[in-house]
Amino acid sequence: MSISSKFNFDNLWSEKSTDADRLLTQHAKYDFAVAYPPFEAVPMYGLIDGLKSKVDADLEKVSIEMAYYPHVQGDESLREFTANKIKNDRGIRANKESIVLCNGSGEANGLVIQALIDPGDYVITEQFVYMGTTKQLTFYEANTVGSPIDDQGLIPEKLEETILNIKSQHGVMPKMLYTIPEHQNPTGSTLPKSRKLEILDICHKYGIPILEDDCYVDNRFEGDPEPAFATLDDSGMVIYVGSFSKLIAPGLRMGFFTASDEVIDRALSVKVGSGPNQFTAYAIDGFLRNNLENQKSTYDKILKDKKESMEKGLVDFFSNTSAKWSSPKGGCYTWIEMTDGANLTEVRDEVFSRGVGYIAGDMFAPNGDGQNMARLCFSFEPVEKNYEGIKELASILKDLKVI
């Protein structure tokens, strides 16, 4: 039987589904809008060698494991490696049973959100925060409130005010605090230990768990990392998320979280399907067991050079303007603010069409502010293009009478 008319789904769509944008991402000549690590240092041959080392060590074991669907928590060997890594790097007590490997840190955050958040619940984040997580919070119908920050991140006394305002205005306590304390996305700030201790006291006082997204900690190129929330608190209140995306490459889609047994059980109860890609896990495990510190130092040297190149451009071409910018000690981003209120959101598309890409601050703002701010990613473009691109950005903004 031949049916010529097109089937109509108009009355069948679920309430949550929308028309997705499947267009390929457009890139400007100077692409500071991305969120990628340095492509020139992605260790492709190292990953291949790491994979080969796992196969050569025990072909039969690897073949049998590949014939199975992965364990719901992911590859056992990589979980063991990850537990040892965060113990050695961050002082976090974990073992292979308390590590859950995920399809990137985004899935880790999503599982925790689903385990804790009901529609209508309130979640506190930084005033400007990673849009991937705010999109998940919106999808699961949470009310996201940004708490004030400065160049060191969350301000403890303002966080307490935010908690009390939610209680006063809505009659409920926030369900969770989500934060990126180390080389924050998008601002580049790092929360000092003293503030973390204050925030832990506040969250204990009001019974609010902390979802700590530590995905940039391996990208520090100046000084030593601050201790993690999860290092400073052993009550089980902190859920710790990490990633191999910024240490190796986002294309691997491998992240993880560690938490108390009860949180892990609840998070896994909302997970659909098995653990993440076993083939990828072999490559990461085989590579990092012999190359972890070298991989860190290679990336960090490149990131430092790129950040300094962008910063020199900002000094040379924005010093006599209303702009101020962050000077991060790690990560991938510089945050720029036009202190006279000049609107970077409304000129973003025009600037892009002229060759410079950035993400305007309102894209990171749960409270709807940030139009006079922008995130500039220095990690992807070559060193010389970071300087040239900032020079071009200044020229375009002058032509548009923004500066």
Side-chain angles (χ1 to χ4, degrees), residues 79-98:
R79 283 190 281 126
E80 180 183 59
F81 172 85
T82 302
N84 288 332
K85 178 184 182 300
I86 63 173
K87 178 182 178 182
N88 295 333
D89 290 353
R90 306 298 274 145
I92 296 170
R93 289 181 292 185
N95 56 50
K96 64 185 180 183
E97 303 306 326
S98 62

Side-chain angles (χ1 to χ4, degrees), residues 163-210:
I163 293 169
L164 294 176
N165 285 339
I166 292 171
K167 174 64 175 174
S168 172
Q169 294 171 18
H170 305 288
V172 296
M173 294 300 296
K175 203 73 167 294
M176 183 173 72
L177 168 65
Y178 169 79
T179 176
I180 307 173
E182 191 87 7
H183 318 312
Q184 200 253 5
N185 181 2
T187 66
S189 65
T190 291
L191 194 65
K193 177 181 178 180
S194 58
R195 288 195 183 186
K196 286 179 177 168
L197 291 171
E198 289 184 70
I199 290 169
L200 284 168
D201 286 343
I202 291 168
C203 288
H204 273 293
K205 179 179 178 181
Y206 296 105
I208 300 170
I210 298 172

Side-chain angles (χ1 to χ4, degrees), residues 38 41-43 85 89 217-223 246-248 287-288 290-306:
V42 174
K85 178 184 182 300
D89 290 353
V217 67
D218 292 316
N219 301 131
R220 177 172 279 269
F221 46 73
E222 183 180 331
K246 300 301 187 289
L247 175 59
I248 306 176
F287 171 66
L288 286 182
N290 296 309
N291 297 281
L292 175 59
E293 295 307 319
N294 182 63
Q295 178 65 13
K296 285 185 189 178
S297 61
T298 297
Y299 262 16
D300 293 351
K301 171 65 168 62
I302 293 171
L303 290 171
K304 186 174 190 292
D305 290 345
K306 291 185 173 188

